[in-house]
Amino acid sequence: MACKICGGEVEMRKYTAEICEEDFGKEIELYGWVHEIRDLGGLVFLVLRDREGFAQITLPKKVVDRELFKKARKLRRESVIKVFGQVKEEKKAPNGFEIIPREIEILNVSDAPLPLEVTEKVPAELDTRLDNRFMDLRKPKIQAIFRVRHAVVQALREFFDRHGFIEVQTPKIVSTATEGGTELFPISYFEREAFLNQSPQLYKQTLMAAGFEKVLEIGPIFRAEEHNTVRHLNEAISVDIEVSFVDHEGVMRYLEEAVREVYEKVNERCERYLGWIGVDLEVPDTPFERLSYDDAVEIARKKGEDVNWGEDLSTSALKLIAEDYGGYYFIVDWPTESKPFYAMPYESDPEISKTFDLMKGWIEIASGAQRIHKYDLLVKRMRDQGLSPENFGFYLETFRYGMPPHAGWGMGLDRLMMAILGLQNIREAVLFPRDRHRLVP
RNA sequence: GCCCGGGUGGUGUAGUCCGGCCUAACAUGCGGGCCUGUCGAGCCCGCGCCUCGGGUUCAAAUCCCGGCCCGGGCGCCA
């Protein structure tokens, strides 16, 4: 049989989940980890685990080779093995079949005790799990999160590709604390100081000036905030778009349709993995409801929350609002002063801006706006917010030579994963999360 | 960063309030033994733990102070 990778005469990799009736009576080769060993004396059951599932390897003492039998019962959990044997239909076995091995090769033994139980007989705390993430990720239920995450990213790329977006990569090492607001991580850049970028915002807009018209970027963002919550990370993945010749409503439509399509495709492509996690996905209806900032404030106030108009909504206010809005919804038309300098104020009422946050319950998933494309207004807004236009050299220049009107948003991919899978902690959605205290692994 | 709660075998818990009967318990694991249909296998024997530093006391896992670490809530957060 030809190898999928090199094309040579190599036995093709077969996963446990691919074993079917056609294989009954045939000899196959499996690779994986020893998930469990059940030694009944005259009969030994091994459970082999690979990426896609499990297979029971059965060794009846009277049937298999004596040395092989002795070797199998001495195996340690999580050792890596190769099994060559016959697939036998067996109603008493899980999935209706078992493998009677002719050969078991130990490719690598595992030490004991394990840092945590892959079988999940004993739960482990998130911190212990993250300290030993490679082992934690061996749990099908945990690995499934990342199979879904893969499908989510694929779905987003497909959606935006189909709509004519150009996927780009912008610098993550930048020269100045550009936007203000959040803290940046300083780094050493040869003889100068530089920073890790907090957002691709200024570069996305620069590409509007460059005439790209529709861009997508999926990449890391860095925030040096000392927050310590279940929904913040210091390194996150942001899905960003920027579109020319549309307003904020235009990019909100891309956002809600993209989210809906992500749900559809995850349902289509990840049925097994959703099953492992135990999640039943309901595709949200579009369009998502638009709730104005004013109305949101009103809801929170009616429930007894003290909200100052003009400020960002507090966690407690958002939780009150989420009592009425559990699914996806937009909070729109935020006070101009509460949003970044590049957000476009309404001509009719400059106190509010063409801005929106996409919410899922009380958690902010994305935020965006129509941007200011006029040089003079942009400079004025920078000054209003206490920023120095001199620090925005390359960015400001792009507004002098034909910057089209444009709008865009940034969405936290990790937050979207939380929303889709109902994860209680954002760290669950990330392979190797970076938070206030965790830099390893 | 603030407030509150916590740190006990590899893992997850009990014990701490009310100091002594804790030579620290249970589950899982690990080592050994028995067992031919397990799938949370079962049974028997064994192994392995009080976060660190200081203090109080005849006596500290237990009380007090400090450090480190963790959890929950909040703040900060394009």
Side-chain angles (χ1 to χ4, degrees):
Chain A
M1 203 177 280
C3 172
K4 283 176 185 171
I5 299 164
C6 67
E9 290 298 309
V10 179
E11 204 66 27
M12 201 157 56
R13 181 90 166 83
K14 193 175 189 90
Y15 293 112
T16 53
E18 293 168 337
I19 298 167
C20 59
E21 281 178 33
E22 282 178 22
D23 297 304
F24 292 172
K26 288 184 189 157
E27 293 206 301
I28 64 162
E29 195 174 82
L30 292 174
Y31 293 83
W33 286 259
V34 177
H35 189 66
E36 280 184 287
I37 304 154
R38 279 188 282 274
D39 182 356
L40 274 63
L43 182 65
V44 174
F45 296 104
L46 293 182
V47 179
L48 176 144
R49 184 192 69 244
D50 65 17
R51 202 177 86 168
E52 306 295 339
F54 302 95
Q56 175 167 291
I57 316 298
T58 307
L59 297 98
K61 196 174 187 175
K62 288 179 183 164
V63 175
V64 300
D65 174 78
R66 220 171 119 240
E67 286 307 309
L68 180 64
F69 185 81
K70 277 166 74 180
K71 189 171 163 186
R73 65 192 305 188
K74 291 293 163 217
L75 273 171
R76 268 207 297 245
R77 292 151 81 227
E78 297 306 317
S79 292
V80 184
I81 56 170
K82 169 185 168 183
V83 175
F84 184 68
Q86 192 178 43
V87 184
K88 191 183 144 208
E89 182 171 17
E90 175 56 69
K91 291 206 169 58
K92 284 178 280 186
N95 307 322
F97 71 87
E98 61 192 15
I99 313 290
I100 310 296
R102 190 161 72 177
E103 216 181 286
I104 296 176
E105 191 181 332
I106 301 167
L107 302 175
N108 215 158
V109 295
S110 170
D111 259 348
L114 303 168
L116 48 83
E117 306 276 326
V118 179
T119 53
E120 294 189 272
K121 283 178 193 165
V122 179
E125 284 189 6
L126 183 59
D127 203 50
T128 306
R129 291 173 41 211
L130 293 175
D131 282 342
N132 303 282
R133 191 58 152 161
F134 74 98
M135 186 70 62
D136 185 50
L137 290 165
R138 289 183 186 178
K139 300 174 192 164
K141 200 175 169 176
I142 306 301
Q143 201 165 109
I145 295 169
F146 298 94
R147 306 301 290 267
V148 172
R149 188 170 164 126
H150 169 78
V152 168
V153 173
Q154 284 294 110
L156 288 167
R157 289 212 159 97
E158 286 165 13
F159 178 89
F160 288 107
D161 180 58
R162 203 171 68 241
H163 287 89
F165 282 71
I166 300 168
E167 185 167 351
V168 298
Q169 293 78 224
T170 61
K172 302 307 151 201
I173 301 174
V174 297
S175 67
T176 50
T178 45
E179 295 173 52
T182 196
E183 293 290 322
L184 299 178
F185 286 109
I187 58 166
S188 159
Y189 192 72
F190 304 108
E191 69 283 359
R192 282 179 288 175
E193 185 183 47
F195 300 91
L196 293 177
N197 208 179
Q198 64 186 104
S199 143
Q201 183 59 31
L202 307 187
Y203 289 98
K204 285 193 300 176
Q205 291 192 259
T206 300
L207 291 171
M208 295 302 98
F212 278 41
E213 298 205 17
K214 294 180 193 172
V215 298
L216 166 71
E217 176 161 12
I218 301 176
I221 56 172
F222 305 91
R223 306 279 163 91
E225 296 294 337
E226 303 227 346
H227 37 45
N228 204 198
T229 78
V230 294
R231 61 187 188 287
H232 286 98
L233 291 171
N234 296 289
E235 176 178 343
I237 299 298
S238 180
V239 178
D240 270 89
I241 73 160
E242 203 67 30
V243 185
S244 291
F245 309 112
V246 300
D247 62 8
H248 57 305
E249 252 305 321
V251 289
M252 282 161 77
R253 283 199 287 275
Y254 279 120
L255 181 50
E256 61 197 354
E257 290 309 320
V259 169
R260 187 173 59 82
E261 191 164 306
V262 162
Y263 273 72
E264 282 171 358
K265 289 198 170 161
V266 167
N267 261 342
E268 255 170 61
R269 300 171 183 178
C270 297
E271 201 189 336
R272 301 180 62 218
Y273 308 123
L274 291 173
W276 290 357
I277 305 168
V279 167
D280 194 21
L281 266 200
E282 200 179 314
V283 179
D285 283 331
T286 53
F288 297 156
E289 194 161 341
R290 270 73 165 156
L291 173 67
S292 72
Y293 172 87
D294 284 355
D295 290 343
V297 167
E298 200 51 40
I299 291 170
R301 279 181 180 160
K302 270 189 184 149
K303 296 188 181 206
E305 186 75 13
D306 193 17
V307 184
N308 292 324
W309 195 94
E311 288 176 7
D312 204 354
L313 297 168
S314 68
T315 306
S316 51
L318 289 171
K319 282 183 176 171
L320 292 172
I321 295 160
E323 289 173 0
D324 301 351
Y325 293 81
Y328 286 99
Y329 62 100
F330 287 107
I331 299 178
V332 301
D333 302 345
W334 290 73
T336 305
E337 61 183 293
S338 74
K339 287 290 178 184
F341 66 85
Y342 48 77
M344 178 71 94
Y346 278 97
E347 295 81 358
S348 54
D349 182 1
E351 290 295 299
I352 59 169
S353 55
K354 298 183 175 182
T355 49
F356 59 90
D357 280 7
L358 174 65
M359 308 296 297
K360 170 77 194 294
W362 61 278
I363 293 187
E364 179 191 332
I365 304 293
S367 102
Q370 184 185 158
R371 324 298 192 185
I372 294 171
H373 58 284
K374 295 288 174 76
Y375 183 92
D376 293 343
L377 180 56
L378 192 59
V379 169
K380 177 184 178 297
R381 289 289 306 130
M382 283 177 176
R383 293 218 166 94
D384 288 349
Q385 299 219 346
L387 298 167
S388 307
E390 308 80 66
N391 292 340
F392 291 83
F394 87 89
Y395 172 71
L396 268 180
E397 280 301 290
T398 65
F399 290 81
R400 294 177 56 206
Y401 306 98
M403 172 65 93
H406 59 280
W409 46 254
M411 170 166 66
L413 179 63
D414 317 297
R415 292 236 180 131
L416 179 65
M417 289 305 302
M418 281 180 90
I420 292 172
L421 297 179
L423 304 173
Q424 296 304 302
N425 194 314
I426 196 164
R427 294 163 182 82
E428 296 271 8
V430 179
L431 287 170
F432 303 104
R434 289 290 172 263
D435 62 30
R436 177 68 185 85
H437 302 289
R438 183 173 292 281
L439 191 54
V440 174

